Amino acid sequence: MDARTYPAKATPKSLRTRARILDAAMRLFAEVGYHAATNAMIADAARLTRGAMLYHFASREELVEAAVAHIELERARLFEEAGSRPHPPGVDAAEHAIDAYWALLHELPFVAFAELEAAARTDPMLRERLAAAQSAFDHAQVGARFGAMVQAGADPRFQTSRDLGRFLLEGLAKGAMTYDEAARRERLLAVVKRAVRILNRKGDGQDLWAE
């Protein structure tokens, strides 16, 4: 589908309407969940009639595909902004990167994407549409930008330090602590930072990396 086939959809007004729909979808995926956020609910949140919604997205599949791309662009934008900020003087680069990524995981686009990943486990259509976005973020954003944030190299040792920090933080963000949440979270974050620092410093007396 393109502007030659659907010329009205390429007008500034139409593009603004599409952006409003996709913003509503992202917010509702994060707030009420992928399955609860029906196309009709998204249309209401975007202040559109069902007919107007169908004009822009004729099916659930079309909406999901566009929403995934929209959410991924927002994640990439936030990640780029975080990665471009210099870490504060006297603060370890790895610690700064971990704090920055932990904060990002609580931003709306990251929460929405995490919800889609959870729902995709039992939804083949969603899983297929997420695959490219997951790969792009893994390679272009976390791989390069996170590496710059922690000021680490590109060999397997440093890749492992990035993966350790990233996936432990993502798991922590999705986990459910039922008591002493703040204290337990802070202890875990401190351990993650220490482990990443050790991996990034070859020859450390407490080296975690087996050559």
Side-chain angles (χ1 to χ4, degrees), residues 162-175:
R162 292 193 291 273
D163 286 343
L164 177 70
R166 175 193 172 187
F167 291 112
L168 284 177
L169 291 179
E170 290 179 2
L172 181 57
K174 295 172 185 176

Side-chain angles (χ1 to χ4, degrees), residues 17 21 48-57:
T17 301
I21 294 169
L48 294 173
T49 65
R50 179 62 172 159
M53 178 75 160
L54 288 171
Y55 174 76
H56 291 279
F57 300 105

Side-chain angles (χ1 to χ4, degrees), residues 63-143:
L63 174 60
V64 168
E65 185 169 4
V68 168
H70 179 69
I71 293 168
E72 181 53 24
L73 281 174
E74 288 300 299
R75 286 208 309 164
R77 178 183 62 79
L78 289 174
F79 204 99
E80 186 70 22
E81 288 177 1
S84 65
R85 299 187 195 109
H87 65 276
V91 176
D92 181 86
E95 290 196 17
H96 170 65
I98 288 167
D99 286 337
Y101 194 54
W102 177 248
L104 286 177
L105 289 173
H106 297 85
E107 294 283 352
L108 182 65
F110 283 80
V111 176
F113 200 85
E115 163 62 21
L116 295 181
E117 288 185 307
R121 188 181 67 83
T122 56
D123 190 318
M125 182 274 289
L126 178 57
R127 186 164 60 247
E128 179 182 349
R129 281 157 178 78
L130 275 180
Q134 289 171 315
S135 178
F137 190 77
D138 192 30
H139 285 83
Q141 298 303 323
V142 172

Side-chain angles (χ1 to χ4, degrees), residues 126-207:
L126 178 57
R127 186 164 60 247
E128 179 182 349
R129 281 157 178 78
L130 275 180
Q134 289 171 315
S135 178
F137 190 77
D138 192 30
H139 285 83
Q141 298 303 323
V142 172
R145 179 57 67 184
F146 197 75
M149 287 169 71
V150 300
Q151 298 181 358
D155 66 29
R157 176 193 183 93
F158 295 116
Q159 180 65 60
T160 301
S161 78
R162 292 193 291 273
D163 286 343
L164 177 70
R166 175 193 172 187
F167 291 112
L168 284 177
L169 291 179
E170 290 179 2
L172 181 57
K174 295 172 185 176
M177 293 184 183
T178 60
Y179 66 92
D180 292 342
E181 179 181 358
R184 293 166 70 194
R185 182 180 63 244
E186 289 307 310
R187 287 194 295 266
L188 283 170
L189 288 172
V191 170
V192 172
K193 291 175 182 178
R194 183 167 180 268
V196 169
R197 284 199 309 271
I198 291 172
L199 274 172
N200 284 347
R201 293 171 184 170
K202 189 172 183 179
D204 191 294
Q206 296 176 297
D207 203 342

